[in-house]
Amino acid sequence: MGRERAGDGGAQDVERLLDDLYTTPPPGFVTRRAELALAARSAGNAADARRIRAARRPTLAAWAANLLLRAAPEESRRFLELGEALREAFRTLDAGEVKELSDRRRSVVAALTRQAVALAEQAGQRLSDSARGDVESTLRAVLADREAAERWATGRLEHPLTPPTEFGEETGAPSAGSHARDELADRRRRREAEKRHRLEEARREAAAADRRLRDRRTEQAVSDEELTRARADHDRAAAEVSEAERRLDQARSRLRLAEEERRTAEERQRAAADAVSEAEEHAQSAAREVERLTPPSST
């Protein structure tokens, strides 16, 4: 399928993206999910992003079953129709039809299992014997149970399915009373098992979410404390800068005053020096005049 961006086509678009996600090989599922969620969020589709993030990575067998549904739509449609016919035959206890459909069931399940294995290998994923068995179990469940058929038809299985009974293995007509009771009991047991499985998974997810929430809250508390300290340090530094600037302004004012006083003192000193020089000249001139006017002494 093409790599579309979330948000370009509304609800239908996100459904196509989820279909694409569930046919992504499991090793690349988490990365692809993150890419699609980011694209949806960047496009302003928060609800789509949440739906994509909520998708859970399928097991290898569940992924192969999803891949089979998408890659072989016609065969899948006929398989679903076979399941409807087989369930109806068991419901009406038509022994002849049950035998005929059961024979088809075995061959079709085997063929589709091989096809799913081949599709997985083409996508670079080799299925183990256990995974092959899970694929076959899923296909048998699709035939045996309407709910399982509906779940597979979505193409978004996360876990393999288990048939409620050894459905369709009977070689003759089943006993009406015992078969109905056994089938009902098996269905109930299967549904209870699936409910317990989903409950356990939900509890694990809830516990993990609680742990993540506590971690995030702890990180937020640490960040808040660091922010408080940083703001206090900033305020102190700003106050120190303001005080330093005030003192610098005062020092500059004192410097300007001192420079003015220095210039005035220098001017006074030059004036005084000039006056001293002038006085010395006057004194020397007067001394010479006195010496000139003083008569020579007689001896």
Side-chain angles (χ1 to χ4, degrees):
M1 295 185 181
R3 301 303 198 194
E4 299 157 277
R5 287 183 58 84
D8 294 339
Q12 292 182 353
D13 183 69
V14 75
E15 295 299 330
R16 288 194 299 272
L17 292 175
L18 287 170
D19 290 343
D20 171 78
L21 181 60
Y22 275 96
T23 54
T24 299
F29 184 93
V30 173
T31 300
R32 182 59 180 156
R33 180 181 62 190
E35 292 174 353
L36 295 177
L38 177 61
R41 189 168 64 252
S42 299
N45 295 320
D48 289 352
R50 285 194 296 271
R51 283 196 63 193
I52 293 169
R53 283 197 302 271
R56 293 292 172 261
R57 181 174 62 181
T59 66
L60 196 59
W63 164 75
N66 294 333
L67 188 62
L68 174 66
L69 180 79
R70 300 297 177 191
E74 186 59 28
E75 293 90 334
S76 299
R77 181 188 62 78
R78 290 198 297 268
F79 187 67
L80 289 169
E81 291 175 351
L82 173 61
E84 291 179 3
L86 191 53
R87 291 191 297 273
E88 178 64 18
F90 266 89
R91 189 183 67 81
T92 59
L93 303 177
D94 186 331
E97 189 174 4
V98 165
K99 185 178 186 308
E100 178 185 352
L101 293 174
S102 294
D103 291 340
R104 285 182 56 196
R105 180 200 71 83
R106 283 187 287 271
S107 62
V108 172
V109 166
L112 288 182
T113 299
R114 289 193 297 271
Q115 188 170 356
V117 169
L119 288 170
E121 289 181 349
Q122 290 172 12
Q125 303 298 314
R126 185 180 181 278
L127 299 190
S128 65
D129 291 341
S130 175
R132 294 185 186 200
D134 287 340
V135 172
E136 182 176 345
S137 173
T138 296
L139 294 175
R140 287 193 291 110
V142 170
L143 291 180
D145 183 70
R146 182 182 301 276
E147 181 182 346
E150 291 173 351
R151 290 176 61 188
W152 181 59
T154 66
R156 298 176 191 173
L157 292 181
E158 298 172 2
H159 303 282
L161 304 176
T162 303
T165 63
E166 289 301 318
F167 192 81
E169 294 294 340
E170 293 81 353
T171 57
S175 168
S178 63
H179 174 73
R181 286 192 300 271
D182 290 346
E183 184 175 0
L184 179 60
D186 285 340
R187 284 176 183 270
R188 286 175 177 170
R189 282 194 296 271
R190 175 180 173 275
R191 285 172 181 157
E192 287 301 319
E194 287 190 354
K195 286 180 182 178
R196 287 194 298 272
H197 175 77
R198 289 196 293 269
L199 177 59
E200 290 173 1
E201 186 173 281
R203 284 173 174 169
R204 287 195 296 271
E205 289 288 339
D210 286 341
R211 288 193 297 272
R212 289 194 295 271
L213 178 59
R214 288 194 298 271
D215 291 344
R216 299 296 87 77
R217 283 176 172 169
T218 299
E219 291 173 359
Q220 183 180 16
V222 172
S223 297
D224 289 345
E225 184 178 349
E226 291 176 348
L227 177 59
T228 299
R229 286 199 301 268
R231 284 174 172 169
D233 291 343
H234 174 271
D235 292 343
R236 283 194 296 271
E240 291 173 358
V241 168
S242 297
E243 177 63 16
E245 289 177 342
R246 184 184 66 80
R247 290 179 180 178
L248 179 60
D249 289 342
Q250 290 177 346
R252 284 172 174 167
S253 296
R254 289 195 298 271
L255 178 60
R256 286 194 297 271
L257 180 61
E259 287 177 346
E260 290 176 359
E261 290 176 349
R262 177 181 59 79
R263 285 194 296 271
T264 300
E266 288 175 347
E267 290 174 356
R268 288 175 180 173
Q269 190 272 339
R270 285 194 297 270
D274 291 343
V276 168
S277 297
E278 185 177 353
E280 287 177 346
E281 290 178 358
H282 281 278
Q284 291 172 0
S285 176
R288 287 193 297 272
E289 182 65 18
V290 167
E291 183 181 358
R292 187 181 64 78
L293 297 175
T294 300
S297 61
S298 59
T299 57

